[in-house]
């Protein structure tokens, strides 16, 4: 009740009021409210997934949320772009191509069913090993494997990747995306990407994703919307904010 009242009256300005509510169950560490130490910290606290096209503000908003969130949090990158790989060797293997079409096809199968799952496990395991009482901010997932009509791929990646408790679909109007990323997007490409990521968000959340149009929102405004949803989420409330798990 106290937390719900805080959300209605004091959020997002008076985070010190939330800290006072949580004080009996948490200690203060590096500006975060951290659960009193437990014997085991293996597992997931609350998993928050951010999806959206390039230019929608994913990385910037994740950093803003990390800065404002008074609960202990960790970040997990599950993309396959230029950064975030566990080693340069894994990245090179993923990008490797042969001039031989048959070899390329065989290696593509190996990448999808062995290399990428192994890479994701290398990223996931260290985070899961110390996140039972943390909010885990997940930066994207390989969404195409969730919307392709291939049950084997869907099963594999659903099994390996953490199931999010909260999904944010970040988007913006095509002309705004094009303006933010002029060298990467045409208006048509922007529309296609928006629809694609919307399908992914719908699939991984069971239709319960939260859509945020960042076209006319400042970083502060958008991050406050995200924080409000995080604090209200049942998994956050039950696992991190109540005495039952103390």
């Amino acid at each position: 009740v106290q937390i719900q009242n805080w959300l209605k009256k004091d959020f997002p300005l008076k985070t010190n009021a939330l800290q006072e509510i949580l004080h009996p169950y948490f200690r203060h560490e590096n500006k975060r409210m951290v659960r009193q130490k437990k014997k085991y910290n293996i597992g997931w606290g609350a998993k928050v997934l951010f999806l959206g096209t390039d230019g929608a503000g994913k990385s910037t908003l994740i950093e803003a949320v990390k800065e404002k969130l008074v609960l202990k949090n960790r970040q997990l990158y599950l993309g396959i772009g230029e950064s975030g790989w566990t080693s340069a060797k894994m990245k090179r293997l993923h990008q490797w191509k042969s001039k031989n079409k048959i070899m390329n096809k065989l290696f593509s199968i190996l990448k999808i069913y062995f290399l990428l799952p192994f890479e994701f496990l290398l990223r996931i395991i260290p985070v899961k090993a110390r996140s039972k009482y943390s909010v885990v901010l997940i930066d994207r997932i390989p969404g195409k494997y969730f919307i392709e009509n291939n049950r084997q791929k869907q099963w594999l990646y659903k099994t390996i990747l953490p199931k999010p408790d909260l999904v944010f679909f970040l988007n913006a109007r095509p002309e705004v995306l094009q303006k933010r990323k002029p060298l990467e997007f045409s208006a048509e490409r922007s529309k296609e990407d928006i629809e694609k990521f919307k399908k992914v968000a719908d699939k991984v959340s069971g239709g319960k994703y939260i859509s945020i149009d960042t076209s006319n929102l400042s970083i502060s405004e958008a991050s406050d919307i995200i924080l409000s949803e995080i604090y209200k989420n049942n998994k956050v409330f039950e696992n991190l904010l109540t005495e039952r798990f103390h």
Side-chain angles (χ1 to χ4, degrees):
V1 175
Q2 286 177 299
I3 292 168
Q4 291 170 348
N5 288 337
W6 173 78
L7 282 166
K8 291 176 183 177
K9 296 178 181 178
D10 298 323
F11 176 84
L13 298 176
K14 298 181 180 178
T15 53
N16 60 316
L18 177 62
Q19 291 173 348
E20 289 175 11
I21 295 169
L22 301 179
H23 182 71
Y25 318 113
F26 291 73
R27 69 180 190 279
H28 210 71
E29 180 182 294
N30 297 327
K31 299 182 180 180
R32 298 282 184 270
M33 299 303 290
V34 181
R35 265 295 195 191
Q36 301 292 352
K37 285 192 174 180
K38 300 288 182 180
K39 188 174 181 181
Y40 300 107
N41 197 28
I42 300 171
W44 299 112
K47 305 176 291 297
V48 182
L49 173 62
F50 293 81
L51 293 172
T53 64
D54 287 343
K58 289 188 303 297
S59 300
T60 305
L61 280 171
I62 288 173
E63 287 303 315
V65 169
K66 282 175 63 179
E67 183 65 27
K68 291 182 177 182
L69 191 60
V70 299
L71 295 167
K72 190 170 185 180
N73 56 81
R74 303 186 187 282
Q75 189 171 346
L76 175 60
Y77 177 75
L78 292 177
I80 52 175
E82 288 298 311
S83 60
W85 293 87
T86 53
S87 70
K89 186 176 181 180
M90 290 292 283
K91 180 181 174 181
R92 285 196 301 271
L93 276 172
H94 181 260
Q95 294 176 338
W96 181 83
K97 288 184 179 180
S98 171
K99 293 180 181 180
N100 185 294
K101 290 183 179 180
I102 296 175
M103 282 291 293
N104 261 341
K105 191 170 183 178
L106 287 172
F107 192 67
S108 177
I109 293 170
L110 286 173
K111 283 195 294 186
I112 292 168
Y113 289 99
F114 297 99
L115 180 65
L116 268 180
F118 182 62
E119 167 68 20
F120 286 138
L121 285 173
L122 289 177
R123 300 183 201 178
I124 291 166
I125 290 171
V127 177
K128 187 176 180 180
R130 48 200 173 96
S131 295
K132 189 173 182 181
Y133 301 104
S134 298
V135 176
V136 181
L137 306 174
I138 304 173
D139 183 357
R140 72 200 79 192
I141 56 169
K144 65 180 181 179
Y145 301 130
F146 287 85
I147 57 176
E148 284 182 358
N149 190 23
N150 186 308
R151 290 185 179 181
Q152 288 80 16
K153 289 181 189 176
Q154 287 185 14
W155 176 86
L156 177 62
Y157 285 90
K158 280 182 181 179
T159 302
I160 291 169
L161 302 180
K163 183 179 180 181
D165 303 298
L166 192 58
V167 177
F168 290 102
F169 168 50
L170 306 178
N171 58 91
R173 295 191 304 274
E175 61 271 23
V176 174
L177 292 173
Q178 190 178 15
K179 188 175 180 180
R180 290 175 182 173
K181 299 276 187 176
L183 299 178
E184 298 178 28
F185 285 106
S186 64
E188 193 59 38
R189 163 79 187 279
S190 298
K191 290 178 185 177
E192 291 173 1
D193 278 5
I194 289 169
E195 287 305 310
K196 180 182 74 174
F197 282 104
K198 187 177 180 180
K199 287 179 183 178
V200 175
D202 187 68
K203 188 77 172 180
V204 298
S205 69
K208 297 179 180 179
Y209 64 90
I210 298 166
S211 179
I212 299 177
D213 187 336
T214 64
S215 300
N216 298 315
L217 294 175
S218 68
I219 295 300
S220 180
E221 289 169 334
S223 61
D224 284 345
I225 292 170
I226 292 168
L227 284 166
S228 177
E229 295 296 336
I230 290 175
Y231 287 130
K232 288 187 291 185
N233 184 262
N234 287 337
K235 188 71 177 287
V236 174
F237 187 81
E238 291 177 0
N239 278 26
L240 304 177
L241 302 182
T242 62
E243 188 174 5
R244 186 160 69 105
F245 283 83
H246 177 61

